Amino acid sequence: AGLSAAGAGGDGRVLKEPSRAAAGFPRSRGAMAAAGPGLGPGASGTVKTLALVLEDEARRGGGGGGGGGYCSGDTVSGQVLLELAGPLSLRGLRLEAAGRARVAWSESSGAVPGAGTWGVAVRAPGPGPRREAEVRYLDIRQSLLRDPPEGEESLILLDGRHEFPFSFQLPQEPLVTSFTGKYGSIQYYVKAILERPAAPEQSVQTELQVISHIDVSSPALLTPVLRSQEKMVGCWFFTSGPVSLSAKIERKGYCNGEAIPIYAEIENCSSRLIVPKAAIFQTQTYLASGKTKTFRQMVANVRGNHIASGSTDTWNGKTLKIPPVSPSILDCCIIRVEYSLAVYIHIPGAKKLMIEMPLVIGTIPCIGFSSRNSSITSQFSMDMSWLALTMPEHPEAPPNYADVVSEEEFSRHVPAYPPPIDCEEQLCCPVFAYIQEFRFQPPPLYSEIDPHPTDVEEIQPVSFML
């Protein structure tokens, strides 16, 4: 179990202790005594250890089986462990569980018109206006110490080690996945606060990892994605030719650790040497005070081979593995985390040609994609026929003229073959030349006048209308 502790210094520092540290605390229930003759408000004990232990660490994966944190409706339980050196007067011990999304950034200072010499606009010193927003998802409070007797303001806790168990249930409403980004975060935590009379509060807290599961087996995430684009390389009248790109992925949803097979065809009709590449981009979008802030970063990439001028290249399932990243966050009103797969071509001296296909990073993987979705896979294989645009290795010859006409017509139009040549002469030329000459023999030239008329003339009656 994860253990967070605050020492006796009273500064509220959070210390991460190994799980075996919790074994030193006996299963006591916090022996307490009301203020008596020998234990007045001036009890001068000290706090040696204040710790917060979460139980059921194995259930951090939640009930959905995707792993990674608690889910909506899960029960969070644990103990607050307190070790005292001498009796200590306490006003209370309370537990707080909170979860919120926060966004904050400062706008860059803009130019002030007319502020400079001769009315020239200059940039104002210092940062611009600050944008902030907050959304609460969890707010639970519990008291772990019973109220003092009537007429008393505090309780005296005897020296030794004490344990205060707690338990609460997360809301049934969907919770947003925990996330920490460039300009904001979504965080959940449990905090224990120790209150003493005439002394500052001491507290210890531990973070809760919450996850909102996304099943990539949903029909919307199983549909293939196809994009194509073409770019003319050059400028004005000095164009060197187009570069075309077509790319496709099997489905839209994937999970961490999966490899995405990429199918693409690149045709380089320009005069430059180009390089195809593919990458996964994460886009973070923050919203506050009606403004939007975007941060984009590359999380994985792969590179193809160089493609010379007048050549083509085909990716028949080139793989790009997804690294450990946060799942897609699409249900928060101030923070969005989205992913895309970009297939692009680096062209020297020109802007890159890029195709972007949307991705959804989920938490529940698609099991048995090929068996459960055979119809989709077969349809995908048929749709991929556009990749087989290359010429066959051995082109088929046109049909022989003797195969499409009668023997009489063939003997009339084709002269008799010469007698076989001598073997010694035959060896002087390659045999393949004779084979190809016979195989690729063209049909006779077309003519409207029959060069070999028949002996019998066909006389057709002609009538005249007067």
Side-chain angles (χ1 to χ4, degrees):
L3 176 65
S4 300
D11 55 358
R13 292 177 298 173
V14 177
L15 308 177
K16 295 294 183 181
E17 300 287 348
S19 59
R20 61 178 179 272
F25 292 88
R27 289 288 178 178
S28 63
R29 291 298 175 183
M32 293 175 286
L39 298 173
S44 58
T46 57
V47 178
K48 294 179 63 177
T49 304
L50 176 62
L52 180 63
V53 181
L54 292 179
E55 295 180 350
D56 300 329
E57 286 292 316
R59 295 188 65 247
R60 276 186 170 268
Y70 290 95
C71 299
S72 301
D74 284 352
T75 299
V76 180
S77 58
Q79 302 86 30
V80 175
L81 306 176
L82 180 62
E83 184 178 6
L84 303 178
L88 186 66
S89 178
L90 299 178
R91 294 178 56 185
L93 177 63
R94 69 178 189 270
L95 185 81
E96 295 182 358
R100 59 180 61 93
R102 288 178 176 175
V103 168
W105 76 86
S106 296
E107 298 281 358
S108 58
S109 57
V112 180
T117 309
W118 307 104
V120 178
V122 297
R123 185 170 295 277
R130 185 168 177 81
R131 311 292 181 183
E132 295 183 355
E134 180 176 316
V135 177
R136 291 178 177 267
Y137 294 104
L138 179 65
D139 192 1
I140 297 176
R141 300 174 185 270
Q142 293 181 357
S143 178
L144 304 182
L145 197 64
R146 65 177 176 86
D147 296 332
E150 188 176 353
E152 301 289 342
E153 295 184 356
S154 61
L155 293 173
I156 301 299
L157 198 62
L158 303 180
D159 62 340
R161 298 175 179 178
H162 310 272
E163 176 184 315
F164 301 90
F166 65 86
S167 179
F168 61 89
Q169 187 178 19
L170 296 177
Q172 295 291 342
E173 295 80 11
L175 298 175
V176 183
T177 301
S178 300
F179 174 75
T180 301
K182 182 72 173 178
Y183 300 105
S185 62
I186 304 171
Q187 294 181 336
Y188 302 82
Y189 65 88
V190 180
K191 184 177 183 179
I193 304 171
L194 185 65
E195 299 177 348
R196 295 188 294 169
E201 294 180 349
Q202 285 183 263
S203 63
V204 60
Q205 75 177 35
T206 184
E207 186 177 357
L208 286 180
Q209 291 293 331
V210 174
I211 188 166
S212 177
H213 286 297
I214 301 176
D215 189 356
V216 301
S217 300
S218 61
L221 301 183
L222 290 178
T223 56
V225 183
L226 170 65
R227 297 285 189 274
S228 61
Q229 195 172 351
E230 184 177 278
K231 178 182 179 67
M232 183 65 68
V233 179
C235 59
W236 295 93
F237 302 103
F238 304 99
T239 58
S240 63
V243 175
S244 60
L245 169 64
S246 298
K248 186 172 186 177
I249 55 177
E250 293 177 335
R251 48 194 167 102
K252 188 178 179 180
Y254 290 88
C255 293
N256 286 338
E258 284 192 274
I260 305 176
I262 306 172
Y263 300 85
E265 175 159 331
I266 308 101
E267 184 177 5
N268 182 15
C269 295
S270 69
S271 60
R272 305 179 187 180
L273 186 69
I274 62 175
V275 182
K277 302 177 182 179
I280 299 175
F281 287 96
Q282 181 193 71
T283 303
Q284 305 172 14
T285 305
Y286 305 90
L287 296 93
S289 305
K291 301 294 182 179
T292 302
K293 190 78 169 178
T294 302
F295 176 73
R296 179 181 169 98
Q297 62 180 350
M298 180 188 297
V299 297
N301 66 322
V302 67
R303 176 175 176 163
N305 299 323
H306 290 79
I307 304 176
S309 174
S311 302
T312 61
D313 189 18
T314 301
W315 288 3
N316 290 320
K318 192 176 187 67
T319 57
L320 178 56
K321 187 175 181 180
I322 303 175
V325 293
S326 170
S328 299
I329 299 178
L330 309 174
D331 51 357
C332 180
C333 58
I334 61 174
I335 297 178
R336 290 180 65 88
V337 179
E338 299 170 293
Y339 294 89
S340 62
L341 173 65
V343 181
Y344 56 99
I345 300 176
H346 175 71
I347 307 173
K351 291 184 178 181
K352 65 181 66 173
L353 174 62
M354 178 180 288
I355 290 175
E356 283 203 63
M357 294 171 283
L359 283 180
V360 174
I361 305 299
T363 59
I364 303 177
C366 181
I367 306 299
F369 173 76
S370 58
S371 60
R372 292 193 305 165
N373 304 279
S374 57
S375 60
I376 297 178
T377 307
S378 60
Q379 181 67 32
F380 167 75
S381 61
M382 289 187 292
D383 293 342
M384 290 306 296
S385 59
W386 59 272
L387 287 175
L389 299 178
T390 57
M391 293 295 292
E393 296 181 1
H394 303 286
E396 184 180 357
N400 196 340
Y401 180 66
D403 297 335
V404 296
V405 298
S406 62
E407 295 183 1
E408 181 181 357
E409 290 289 332
F410 181 76
S411 61
R412 184 193 311 161
H413 291 86
V414 179
Y417 287 104
I421 60 176
D422 191 27
C423 293
E424 294 182 358
E425 280 186 30
Q426 188 175 5
L427 294 176
C428 295
C429 299
V431 179
F432 180 73
Y434 295 99
I435 298 176
Q436 295 288 0
E437 182 181 0
F438 174 77
R439 184 179 179 186
F440 296 99
Q441 182 180 7
L445 297 177
Y446 174 78
S447 175
E448 294 184 356
I449 301 176
D450 190 357
H452 303 281
T454 59
D455 297 336
V456 181
E457 295 184 1
E458 296 181 359
I459 301 176
Q460 297 180 357
V462 179
S463 60
F464 297 91
M465 300 295 296
L466 298 177

